[in-house]
């Protein structure tokens, strides 16, 4: 789960990391009042959406007086912000964060993620942070300092001393950097985050560090332990179909292709998507109807897949382990009974009672249902039909 910058900064402060004073608002009329109460002579007006790259796309603007604050607030609130991370459809801005402006001397990047091969959280630091961090990572990855932190030892001063020296910081700056790194590590482990990023981490004219931007992603599987964090969820920022699917215990992720996929089990769903790609197609979604899929979940799955106008064909790939294939076959027929599905549905059912299932589907005589007993052949046919080919 992702949260907004203003929420992430609230959490940073709780872990001892300084951020500029600021306040969130969704009312453009209120913006100059908010800025006035924050004080100072310069403000940053920042679009609050769950995507980065706002700075380069007009979602972060600096104001030098209250009139400018008001103008920027009006321009940003309600705009459809398109950044490299939102996709071409963009994201509607419903909230802005107004914060006291900072005079930047240097921009660093500071982040923590899990390094699966090292089996440890890794702290990442770059002397060149800010809006060009992707470029640094792509072109000069050596500049990014990575420090694996053994969770049995935790983050210690020596970790940061080494990194600080590499960054060319003096003793006092290293001490301050430690406060940031420690806070980041404690937040990451304490709140079960999967990514915590401060970019830019800024060195100010006064020689102090301050977190100018914050991004936190949480591990959904641990949210039950952190009600406060779970309450920060903003459904407006999430794909509505994904939220709807979640209510029925389905995991659905919308993608950009035209082959709708309905699969049971995350591993088989990934495999199905891989095979579709391998034969030259593009999956429209990831959908795991669960290991114990029922007729109801299958019906809901169809509804969600069909809501995506890009879908030209549906590929059902279900392995009957816990679930019996004949039940699924009946579920498919029930799901499409009475609906006007006029796209091909390729069904590959294998496992318990697969022959009975195929018999049921054949008997139904629905011309849109095509059975296949092989994953690769089924995928190939789906891709061919999605591209406008003949059966
Ligand atoms: P992002 O582009 O979505 O990551 O948004 P950021 O919050 O990182 O802002 C983008 C850039 O705007 C930063 O890298 C800074 O260079 C600049 N910026 C943000 N706030 C301030 C500020 O208070 N003062 C100045 N001078 N620049 C700022
Ligand atoms: Mn940023």
């Amino acid at each position: 789960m992702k949260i907004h910058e203003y929420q992430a900064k609230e959490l940073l402060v709780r872990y001892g990391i300084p951020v500029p004073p600021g306040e969130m608002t969704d009312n453009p009329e209120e913006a100059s009042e908010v800025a006035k109460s924050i004080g100072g002579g310069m403000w940053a007006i920042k679009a609050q959406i769950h995507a980065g790259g706002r700075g380069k796309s007009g979602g972060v603007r600096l104001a030098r007086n209250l009139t400018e604050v008001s103008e920027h607030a009006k321009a940003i609130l309600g705009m459809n912000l398109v950044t490299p991370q939102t996709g071409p459809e963009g994201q509607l801005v419903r909230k802005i964060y107004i914060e006291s402006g900072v005079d930047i001397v240097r921009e660093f990047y500071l982040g923590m993620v899990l390094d699966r091969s090292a089996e440890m959280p890794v702290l990442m630091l770059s002397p060149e942070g800010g809006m060009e961090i992707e470029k640094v990572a792509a072109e000069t990855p050596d500049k990014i300092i990575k420090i694996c932190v053994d969770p049995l030892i935790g983050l210690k001063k020596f970790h940061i001393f080494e990194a600080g020296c590499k960054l060319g910081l003096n003793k006092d700056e290293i001490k301050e950097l430690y406060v940031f790194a420690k806070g980041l590590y404690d937040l990451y482990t304490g709140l079960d985050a999967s990514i915590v990023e401060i970019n830019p981490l800024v060195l100010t004219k006064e020689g102090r560090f301050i977190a100018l931007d914050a991004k936190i992603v949480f591990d959904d599987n641990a949210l039950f332990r952190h009600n406060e964090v779970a309450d920060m969820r903003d459904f407006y920022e999430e794909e509505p179909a994904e939220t709807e699917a979640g209510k029925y215990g389905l995991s659905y992720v919308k993608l950009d292709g035209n082959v709708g996929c309905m699969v049971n089990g995350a591993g088989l769903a990934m495999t199905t998507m891989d095979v579709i790609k391998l034969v030259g197609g593009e999956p429209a979604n990831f959908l795991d109807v669960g290991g114990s899929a029922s007729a109801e979940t299958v019906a809901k799955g169809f509804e969600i897949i069909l809501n995506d106008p890009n879908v030209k064909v549906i590929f059902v790939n279900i392995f009957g382990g816990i679930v019996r294939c004949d039940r699924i076959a009946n579920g498919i027929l029930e799901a499409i009974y009475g609906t006007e599905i006029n796209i091909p549905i390729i069904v590959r059912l294998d496992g318990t009672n697969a022959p009975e299932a195929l018999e049921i589907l054949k008997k139904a005589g629905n011309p849109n249902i095509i059975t296949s007993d092989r994953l690769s052949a089924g995928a190939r046919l789906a891709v061919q039909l999605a591209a406008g080919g003949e059966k």
Side-chain angles (χ1 to χ4, degrees):
M1 184 189 95
K2 293 181 183 169
I3 58 173
H4 288 292
E5 174 194 3
Y6 76 93
Q7 297 166 317
K9 281 182 168 165
E10 232 176 86
L11 295 176
L12 290 188
V13 169
R14 243 183 268 173
Y15 282 84
I17 297 177
V19 304
E23 211 180 304
M24 185 275 288
T25 178
D26 56 7
N27 182 356
E29 306 303 330
E30 224 176 70
S32 70
E33 272 309 303
V34 169
K36 209 162 140 191
S37 73
I38 294 167
M42 182 171 81
W43 298 269
I45 321 297
K46 312 181 76 178
Q48 298 298 289
I49 56 167
H50 283 185
R54 298 162 303 166
K56 281 189 173 172
S57 316
V60 176
R61 300 182 199 188
L62 296 179
R64 306 213 161 258
N65 54 55
L66 294 176
T67 318
E68 280 179 19
V69 168
S70 195
E71 282 168 13
H72 292 331
K74 285 189 181 119
I76 295 176
L77 272 168
M79 85 186 278
N80 190 50
L81 191 57
V82 182
T83 84
Q85 293 180 23
T86 59
E89 69 281 2
Q91 179 70 37
L92 177 68
V93 182
R94 296 167 187 272
K95 295 172 179 171
I96 50 170
Y97 189 56
I98 302 178
E99 78 181 355
S100 184
V102 173
D103 276 325
I104 300 173
V105 175
R106 269 184 86 175
E107 292 192 333
F108 298 88
Y109 169 96
L110 178 67
M112 177 160 270
V113 291
L114 180 67
D115 182 331
R116 285 170 198 277
S117 49
E119 301 173 6
M120 285 183 234
V122 58
L123 189 77
M124 292 184 294
L125 267 152
S126 163
E128 289 170 33
M131 295 194 279
E132 300 299 337
I133 190 66
E134 279 86 7
K135 206 170 145 204
V136 176
E139 291 171 15
T140 47
D142 294 350
K143 284 193 180 157
I144 299 176
I145 301 166
K146 293 184 179 168
I147 303 162
C148 287
V149 183
D150 186 328
L152 294 178
I153 295 170
L155 188 94
K156 299 289 173 203
K157 292 200 170 99
F158 71 84
H159 286 121
I160 299 311
F161 188 76
E162 185 192 330
C165 289
K166 281 189 188 161
L167 290 173
L169 301 178
N170 67 35
K171 206 174 110 208
D172 289 337
E173 289 166 346
I174 292 176
K175 265 192 192 157
E176 230 188 297
L177 182 63
Y178 174 72
V179 172
F180 279 75
K182 182 82 172 90
L184 203 77
Y185 178 76
D186 289 345
L187 190 162
Y188 178 88
T189 50
L191 296 181
D192 293 302
S194 52
I195 300 174
V196 183
E197 247 180 23
I198 300 178
N199 185 38
L201 166 65
V202 156
L203 192 58
T204 66
K205 230 166 52 183
E206 295 76 31
R208 304 299 306 259
F209 281 111
I210 194 157
L212 221 55
D213 188 14
K215 173 178 180 169
I216 308 179
V217 183
F218 294 96
D219 180 347
D220 289 350
N221 293 315
L223 279 178
F224 74 97
R225 304 206 277 211
H226 311 288
N227 288 334
E228 239 188 321
V229 171
D231 286 345
M232 290 182 167
R233 181 159 228 146
D234 184 347
F235 287 106
Y236 282 123
E237 294 290 319
E238 298 178 10
E239 177 70 38
E242 291 175 13
T243 311
E244 175 73 7
K247 286 187 205 153
Y248 293 86
L250 308 170
S251 27
Y252 172 86
V253 180
K254 192 186 164 337
L255 301 167
D256 299 328
N258 58 9
V259 181
C261 302
M262 172 140 62
V263 190
N264 66 335
L268 190 58
M270 300 289 258
T271 309
T272 306
M273 289 161 54
D274 280 351
V275 174
I276 288 170
K277 285 219 160 226
L278 192 69
V279 296
E282 286 294 335
N285 64 278
F286 167 95
L287 175 61
D288 170 13
V289 290
S292 51
S294 66
E296 292 73 44
T297 49
V298 168
K300 195 69 203 170
F302 268 111
E303 191 186 313
I304 289 167
I305 293 175
L306 285 165
N307 267 333
D308 175 356
N310 295 336
V311 170
K312 295 279 181 292
V313 38
I314 298 178
F315 184 32
V316 180
N317 184 21
I318 288 187
F319 181 78
I322 302 170
V323 61
R324 285 170 20 207
C325 291
D326 54 323
R327 284 226 176 137
I328 295 295
N330 282 320
I332 294 171
L333 295 176
E334 267 171 46
I336 63 175
Y337 182 77
T339 63
E340 289 179 26
I341 298 185
N342 43 18
I343 58 171
I345 302 170
I346 290 106
V347 184
R348 184 239 175 185
L349 290 167
D350 208 348
T352 312
N353 290 1
E356 288 87 338
L358 292 178
E359 202 51 42
I360 291 169
L361 292 175
K362 275 197 188 117
K363 262 201 197 132
N366 185 322
N368 283 324
I369 297 179
I370 306 158
T371 59
S372 172
D373 55 359
R374 289 254 173 265
L375 171 53
S376 53
R380 209 170 289 124
L381 181 61
V383 170
Q384 196 183 320
L385 294 178
E390 294 290 307
K391 278 180 212 170

